[in-house]
Amino acid sequence: MAKQDRAVRTRQELIRSAAEAFSRGGFALSSLTDISARAGVSSGALHFHFASKRALGEAVETAAAQTLRRIIAQSPLGHPVPLQTLVDTSHVLAQRLVDDVVLRAGFGLGSDATWREGVELWGEWHSWVRSVLTLARRRGNLATDVVLDDVVSAVTAAVVGFEVLGRADAEWCSRRSLTRFWALMLPRLSSDRLRTELDPEGTGAGMWPEEAAVVPEAG
């Protein structure tokens, strides 16, 4: 059991080390030698767990996707105000992008021209945003003249932008930045009856239980 536990920990360290390397210099410029050294393991141990750098990239994306799905799953779609759910979840996601290098690297790979795989985290986020805003429309949360496709695109693009800018300056992914964004957007998006009830700071952002990134075990 102890040997198996060590193997799991080694694999997790390699995924985190790869995520740090991809975040710093991109996929193409990251070397397996540097990744193994930063994880504190030999090149042989790395190749025991991962046959190639691409396999490491796939593991980073998979772990990031699982974390994103957990963040989304924590969001109560049964909330009577889905628009507030969207605000809250965007805060949680932004904070996790700052704190969780594996999640950040997974999103970063999606915009890396040297990496083309099939997870597409931004696509998953976009789909979830659409589902929440569709529900918000049904519940009467949105102003009648709001075009759903326009809102989905604007919210997705804004969070994408915060993530990209946040790689150089974490302030872009801060609660303060997201609050300013929602304070600007919510009066335009929300119905008259909700306009004074919505909280751009998030009703649970920063207070939800933090969970470690999900690093999948070898299959």
Side-chain angles (χ1 to χ4, degrees):
M1 182 61 71
K3 186 176 181 180
Q4 184 178 12
D5 289 344
R6 282 198 301 274
V8 171
R9 286 196 298 272
T10 297
R11 191 171 189 278
Q12 291 174 337
E13 285 304 316
L14 285 166
I15 290 174
R16 289 191 178 91
S17 180
E20 290 168 358
F22 299 158
S23 291
R24 283 195 311 273
F27 178 77
L29 297 180
S30 299
S31 74
L32 290 178
T33 300
D34 179 57
I35 290 169
S36 61
R38 287 179 176 274
V41 304
S42 67
S43 295
L46 184 152
H47 285 289
F48 174 80
H49 290 280
F50 300 100
S52 64
K53 186 168 68 170
R54 182 153 297 276
L56 259 175
E58 290 169 354
V60 168
E61 268 200 332
T62 297
Q66 290 182 5
T67 299
L68 174 63
R69 289 163 194 161
R70 290 178 73 169
I71 291 170
I72 290 170
Q74 287 178 336
S75 306
L77 283 180
H79 192 289
V81 187
L83 191 52
Q84 185 67 62
T85 296
L86 177 59
V87 173
D88 294 351
T89 306
S90 71
H91 277 286
V92 175
L93 175 59
Q95 186 58 51
R96 291 299 296 273
L97 284 167
V98 172
D99 297 338
D100 186 338
V101 68
V102 177
L103 181 64
R104 188 164 65 250
F107 275 101
L109 284 171
S111 58
D112 188 329
T114 65
W115 176 261
R116 283 293 178 267
E117 292 300 321
V119 175
E120 297 184 357
L121 281 99
W122 284 119
E124 292 199 21
W125 171 250
H126 180 271
S127 296
W128 185 81
V129 169
R130 175 175 291 280
S131 69
V132 175
L133 286 170
T134 298
L135 184 57
R137 164 133 288 167
R138 291 176 188 156
R139 296 268 178 88
N141 288 184
L142 302 182
T144 56
D145 62 341
V146 165
V147 178
L148 188 65
D149 286 346
D150 291 350
V151 183
V152 173
S153 296
V155 171
T156 302
V159 179
V160 169
F162 287 137
E163 187 274 328
V164 172
L165 292 167
R167 295 176 203 172
D169 181 358
E171 175 62 22
W172 281 101
C173 284
S174 70
R175 189 171 184 181
R176 179 167 49 190
S177 292
L178 265 291
T179 297
R180 287 199 293 258
F181 168 74
W182 286 116
L184 180 67
M185 290 288 287
L186 288 175
R188 174 66 185 88
L189 300 181
S190 62
S191 61
D192 292 340
R193 67 180 180 83
L194 281 181
R195 201 152 290 150
T196 59
E197 298 178 21
L198 295 168
D199 186 353
E201 288 189 285
T203 58
M207 295 180 284
W208 292 12
E210 288 295 331
E211 299 183 19
V214 179
V215 178
E217 298 184 9

